[in-house]
Amino acid sequence: MLRYAPLLMARTKKPPIAQRDRAVIGALLRDLRRAAGYRSVDAAAETKGCPASRQTIYQYERGAMSPSLPQFLELVSFYVLEAPRGVDAKPDADLRAHGVAAVTRALDLPAYHVATARDLIAKMQPVAGAAR
C-alpha cells in the first residue's frame, strides 16, 4: 500500500494590505452596519450573534485593521442576513443588494487576491480554436 506524504509548503508572510484597501473595506462594513439600522458600532457589537467585538469593528471601519476574507464575509452575513434590523434599517431587498455590492467590491480589491486568481485563470485558459 502506497502512502503519500502531505505536500508541505513553506509559509510566507502575507504582504501588508494597502491603506487604500483597508479604507475601502472599512467603508463597506460601516455602510452595511448603517444600512442594517445600527447607528453605532456599540449597538451592532452588543447584538446577539455579532461575530466581532466593538474594538475590532472600530478598527476595521477606521481602516486601522483589515479583516480576513472569511471575517469580512461573516460580518456581511451578520448585518444582512442574521442581525435584527434597527429602526433606520433599509428595506430587506435594498439591504441584500447592498450586501451583494459590498462583497463584489471587496473581492475585486488586491487585499483579498481574488482578482489576481481571476487573472491567472484567464492566462491558463486554452486558446479558442487551437489544435490539441
Side-chain angles (χ1 to χ4, degrees):
M1 177 170 154
L2 291 173
R3 288 189 172 201
Y4 295 98
L7 183 62
L8 299 176
M9 295 181 66
R11 295 191 96 178
T12 58
K13 186 175 180 179
K14 294 179 184 176
I17 295 175
Q19 175 57 39
R20 181 185 56 82
D21 289 350
R22 288 195 314 264
V24 170
I25 292 166
L28 292 170
L29 290 172
R30 182 181 54 251
D31 291 348
L32 268 178
R33 174 180 51 78
R34 290 176 178 165
Y38 294 98
R39 289 184 180 183
S40 71
V41 169
D42 290 333
E46 291 171 0
T47 303
K48 183 178 178 172
C50 183
S53 70
R54 177 181 59 86
Q55 296 90 342
T56 300
I57 296 171
Y58 273 126
Q59 295 276 347
Y60 292 161
E61 289 188 8
R62 286 188 350 213
M65 235 172 53
S66 191
S68 67
L69 183 56
Q71 291 166 329
F72 176 82
L73 296 174
E74 193 173 24
L75 272 170
V76 170
S77 177
F78 172 73
Y79 290 138
V80 175
L81 300 174
E82 300 160 21
R85 301 292 177 254
V87 176
D88 298 324
K90 287 185 172 190
D92 194 55
D94 290 349
L95 183 58
R96 286 174 178 265
H98 201 111
V100 168
V103 171
T104 302
R105 176 68 178 104
L107 291 178
D108 283 334
L109 293 172
Y112 292 134
H113 308 287
V114 175
T116 304
R118 287 184 188 139
D119 289 344
L120 177 60
I121 291 168
K123 288 176 186 176
M124 294 187 297
Q125 292 294 324
V127 177
R132 291 183 178 215

